[in-house]
Amino acid sequence: MADADANSLDATILTRDAALLKDTVREAGALAQSMFRTELKKWIKGASSPVSEADIAVNDLLEARLRAATPDYGWLSEESADDATRLSRRLTWVVDPIDGTRNYLGGHDEWCVSVALVDCATPVLAAVFAPSSDEFFFAVRGQGTTLNGKAVQATSGSELDFSRVAGPKPLVERLKPSLGEITLHRRIGSLALRLCRVAHGALDAAFAGGNSHDWDLAAADLIVQEADGRMSDLSGDPILYNRREVAHGVLVAAGRDRHASIVAHFRNRPLA
């Protein structure tokens, strides 16, 4: 790898990997769609996380395509055994083959393939593809976010319309100015899609409850950031990826001004 300087990624490499990522995620999405609403082998991993042969097939395709083309990069995927050598690699693919597996197995449309390329703990390329709704989000660091090839931006302003906020209701209720009832946006079972909906203004803000992971977040993070939004923990600190610990606490994504307002609120009223 030939860097322009010690701290920046060579533009030629970024362009090459962007094309690779687009093609590969589209292919992976097509494979997932071809297996959607079919009879699949499925099981539970860990305490309660569903997984199916579709998750594994999509993961295998992504790994075969991406790692063959970039053998020196690290690999972190929800459906692969963690390889600690990723910690010594500057560039690492961070992958969720099917984000929203419960939706996928239930025959519901809101699931996606989510892949990011992380450079020194920060995402520089991102693709989130929801084949069932034909939504392809793509972002390159410093070049903006597109949805199906058209530039998009998060909504401006700092006011809160709770019907345009998605996330765990007990958490979001901490933002309300009174004891009155609030009605949130309907639940979005794919966390990556929930966050990406901020990037094109379908939502004003989205929250992630505790225990999300790098693979749920990295691609959506860049997609929101490049759409003039912000995504962080509730103290406003940026999210760092490809560390030894890949789980994260409560997070918020929103347009720049609204994000600042939400972070200020929680700084004054921190979660217990």
Side-chain angles (χ1 to χ4, degrees):
M1 182 189 308
D3 290 340
D5 58 53
N7 298 311
S8 64
L9 189 61
D10 185 88
T12 302
I13 292 173
L14 201 60
T15 299
R16 179 203 69 185
D17 290 349
L20 169 68
L21 180 59
K22 278 184 179 179
D23 291 345
T24 303
V25 169
R26 285 201 178 276
E27 185 178 357
L31 174 60
Q33 186 70 24
S34 74
M35 302 177 75
F36 185 43
R37 296 175 178 153
T38 67
E39 290 295 321
L40 296 171
K41 294 178 183 177
K42 52 191 175 183
W43 57 95
I44 298 295
K45 65 180 180 182
S48 61
S49 295
V51 62
S52 76
E53 60 184 309
D55 298 85
I56 304 306
V58 174
N59 188 67
D60 288 350
L61 185 155
L62 289 164
E63 186 168 10
R65 299 289 189 274
L66 295 175
R67 299 196 84 175
T70 57
D72 296 332
Y73 293 9
W75 180 262
L76 175 62
S77 170
E78 183 177 14
E79 306 303 344
S80 298
D82 193 5
D83 180 354
T85 62
R86 66 180 173 79
L87 297 171
S88 63
R89 307 294 173 88
R90 172 174 175 175
L91 292 165
T92 295
W93 294 110
V94 178
V95 175
D96 195 341
I98 298 179
D99 182 74
T101 296
R102 283 188 177 86
N103 273 12
Y104 183 87
L105 294 176
H108 307 298
D109 287 339
E110 287 187 322
W111 54 271
C112 63
V113 179
S114 177
V115 183
L117 182 63
V118 168
D119 175 16
C120 300
T122 302
V124 293
L125 291 175
V128 170
F129 182 28
S132 293
S133 53
D134 190 28
E135 295 172 278
F136 193 98
F137 295 89
F138 194 78
V140 180
R141 185 172 63 184
Q143 298 181 30
T145 291
T146 60
L147 171 57
N148 296 338
K150 296 182 178 180
V152 292
Q153 281 201 319
T155 56
S156 60
S158 59
E159 69 285 351
L160 276 175
D161 175 352
F162 286 102
S163 69
R164 293 174 54 81
V165 177
K169 189 173 181 179
L171 172 63
V172 181
E173 282 181 331
R174 290 174 172 266
L175 288 170
K176 65 184 182 181
S178 68
L179 297 178
E181 181 69 14
I182 62 172
T183 300
L184 298 183
H185 192 278
R186 61 179 177 78
R187 183 178 184 276
I188 300 172
S190 160
L191 178 54
L193 275 183
R194 183 193 311 166
L195 297 167
C196 284
R197 297 270 163 82
V198 170
H200 70 116
L203 292 175
D204 285 343
F207 286 83
N211 205 37
S212 53
H213 294 79
D214 279 15
W215 46 77
D216 303 308
L217 305 169
D221 191 347
L222 183 65
I223 285 165
V224 170
Q225 303 276 359
E226 287 295 323
D228 202 28
R230 296 292 181 269
M231 183 168 147
S232 72
D233 65 22
L234 294 186
S235 67
D237 292 332
I239 307 159
L240 301 178
Y241 299 98
N242 195 35
R243 299 301 180 94
R244 191 171 298 278
E245 177 55 64
V246 299
H248 300 272
V250 177
L251 308 169
V252 60
R256 181 185 302 180
D257 294 339
R258 189 171 289 105
H259 177 271
S261 177
I262 291 170
V263 166
H265 177 94
F266 281 105
R267 280 177 178 159
N268 293 327
R269 302 169 185 82
L271 299 179

